[in-house]
Amino acid sequence: MMTIDGRPVGPGHPPYIVAEMSGNHNGDIGRALAILDAAKAAGADSVKLQTYRADTITIDHDGPDFRVGKGLWEGQRLYDLYQDAHTPWEWHEPLFRHAREIGITIFSAPFDPTAVELLESLDAPVYKIASSEIVDIPLIRLVARTGKPLILSTGMATFEEIEEAVAAAREAGAKEIAVLHCISAYPTPIERANLSNIPDLAARLGTVVGLSDHSMGTLASTVAIGLGASLIEKHFTLARADGGVDSAFSLEPAELATLVADTCAAQAALGTPVYGPTEAEQDSLRFRRSLYVVADVKKGETITEASVRSIRPAHGLLPKYLDAVLGRKASRDLKRGEAFKADMVEGGVPGA
């Protein structure tokens, strides 16, 4: 279990829902503030930023190594993409202030030591290490040394890389760690979500586990809760039609509200292992089958399949006693519609 800004996160607690703003502010702080409001209204627990500058995450270079290959941003220069998507340093304080005023947690994924320094000055309650940074062990150690809870995304990572990152965080002092299964494809085809990694990560790492979900819609996230995820992260925008670097695979406000409701329902539906009729099933017990007299029988007459059958409701002997009843003599007159009881045959029914 871990605690984020006073909220317990882990098995037995409601799913923790993170709305990822990323670059969906489209360079407008007013829109960024509106995203905070919309996430709060939809029921998300927190909003996550990404804290970097284009110059701290890459360099301004035109070489082929510095261009995006296939996918949503194909052909773009890394520097230009990050310049468009980044959240300006000077926005952080008003965004953190506004989030606290409206009562939603705000935190960020830092991408270099200067980002950690900024976020520490704002008393960020938790940190996220993005998938591409899971191999940046110095950054993980730096973040872990803050003593704050740490969330690690695992997109593209081998298990050995995940294990190394978790070990580095623990060695540097991180006590509360969540590991998010993630597929770094934008968007992720649902058939490639590979959600079976979630219970495997939980069993092998002993951490809180969750899903950083880049698939379309809310299905993968809801299924993930049933597999043991405690934390869900989804990209969020006011409207996909407004465009933006991540808008194509982001949820809109009504969809985020659906995600919150469906994941909470999925978690509630898990329950605990129990057999036998539950409280909700008590009224349905009478609709089970049992043995009933379906034709009048005189005392001393032989009981046959024409006179006793297994039917609904369930006030007579269990159907398994039918063979023990057939061919026996009636101990009294039996009337059609009577629930068949053990004392209705001469000598009774053994075991009933």
Side-chain angles (χ1 to χ4, degrees):
M1 209 266 289
M2 67 191 305
T3 301
I4 298 176
D5 206 15
R7 162 78 147 80
V9 180
H13 296 282
Y16 189 88
I17 306 300
V18 179
E20 164 68 84
M21 183 185 301
S22 185
N24 284 328
H25 50 66
N26 295 355
D28 178 358
I29 190 172
R31 182 182 176 89
L33 293 166
I35 287 174
L36 292 176
D37 292 333
K40 171 67 176 178
D45 293 286
S46 61
V47 171
K48 183 177 80 69
L49 311 177
Q50 295 183 5
T51 304
Y52 61 83
R53 295 187 175 101
D55 287 318
T56 64
I57 199 169
T58 189
I59 59 172
D60 189 354
H61 197 286
D62 291 331
D65 287 354
F66 294 87
R67 288 189 180 272
V68 181
K70 298 178 181 178
L72 190 61
W73 307 293
E74 184 174 355
Q76 290 195 46
R77 293 198 321 144
L78 290 180
Y79 191 88
D80 295 337
L81 177 63
Y82 298 136
Q83 187 67 28
D84 289 341
H86 86 290
T87 301
W89 246 236
E90 61 271 18
W91 288 13
H92 281 66
E93 192 279 328
L95 289 175
F96 269 66
R97 182 175 68 249
H98 184 68
R100 287 163 176 159
E101 287 171 352
I102 65 174
I104 189 168
T105 296
I106 188 169
F107 68 102
S108 189
F111 288 77
D112 74 284
T114 65
V116 177
E117 183 179 4
L118 171 64
L119 294 168
E120 277 295 280
S121 74
L122 297 169
D123 196 23
V126 57
Y127 285 99
K128 165 77 183 293
I129 298 295
S131 288
S132 293
E133 276 57 46
I134 197 168
V135 294
D136 191 344
I137 298 301
L139 178 64
I140 291 171
R141 288 177 176 144
L142 176 64
V143 171
R145 283 196 290 269
T146 68
K148 308 284 181 63
L150 178 60
I151 302 166
L152 291 163
S153 260
T154 63
M156 304 171 287
T158 65
F159 183 74
E160 290 71 25
E161 289 169 337
I162 297 168
E163 202 170 35
E164 183 180 17
V166 170
R170 285 173 169 158
E171 289 165 5
K175 298 291 191 293
E176 297 178 289
I177 300 172
V179 176
L180 307 187
H181 170 57
C182 176
I183 303 295
S184 295
Y186 308 94
T188 300
I190 192 70
E191 66 273 14
R192 296 182 183 175
N194 204 28
L195 299 179
S196 60
N197 272 26
I198 291 169
D200 190 63
L201 287 169
R204 296 171 74 174
L205 295 174
T207 66
V208 172
V209 294
L211 175 67
S212 177
D213 183 11
H214 298 129
S215 69
M216 302 299 291
T218 62
L219 176 61
S221 291
T222 304
V223 172
I225 296 300
L227 292 170
S230 296
L231 188 154
I232 301 293
E233 179 182 290
K234 286 284 284 187
H235 284 245
F236 179 58
T237 188
L238 298 178
R240 283 187 292 274
D242 294 344
V245 293
D246 299 327
S247 61
F249 56 91
S250 296
L251 295 182
E252 295 181 345
E255 294 167 328
L256 181 60
T258 296
L259 175 71
V260 171
D262 286 355
T263 52
C264 284
Q267 197 273 341
L270 291 175
T272 54
V274 61
Y275 298 94
T278 65
E279 182 179 352
E281 295 172 312
Q282 291 298 323
D283 287 344
S284 297
L285 282 173
R286 64 193 182 94
F287 296 117
R288 280 181 159 184
R289 300 176 80 92
S290 70
L291 300 185
Y292 264 78
V293 180
V294 295
D296 291 350
V297 181
K298 294 293 186 182
K299 180 179 178 180
E301 287 185 351
T302 299
I303 294 169
T304 69
E305 291 177 344
S307 55
V308 174
R309 286 170 45 205
S310 168
I311 63 171
R312 295 183 180 187
H315 301 299
L317 283 179
L318 291 172
K320 68 181 181 179
Y321 294 111
L322 180 60
D323 287 345
V325 166
L326 295 177
R328 305 280 297 282
K329 303 292 185 181
S331 62
R332 62 172 176 83
D333 289 347
L334 308 180
K335 295 296 184 183
R336 183 177 184 273
E338 282 191 274
F340 198 92
K341 303 296 184 181
D343 61 2
M344 290 181 174
V345 295
E346 294 176 356
V349 179

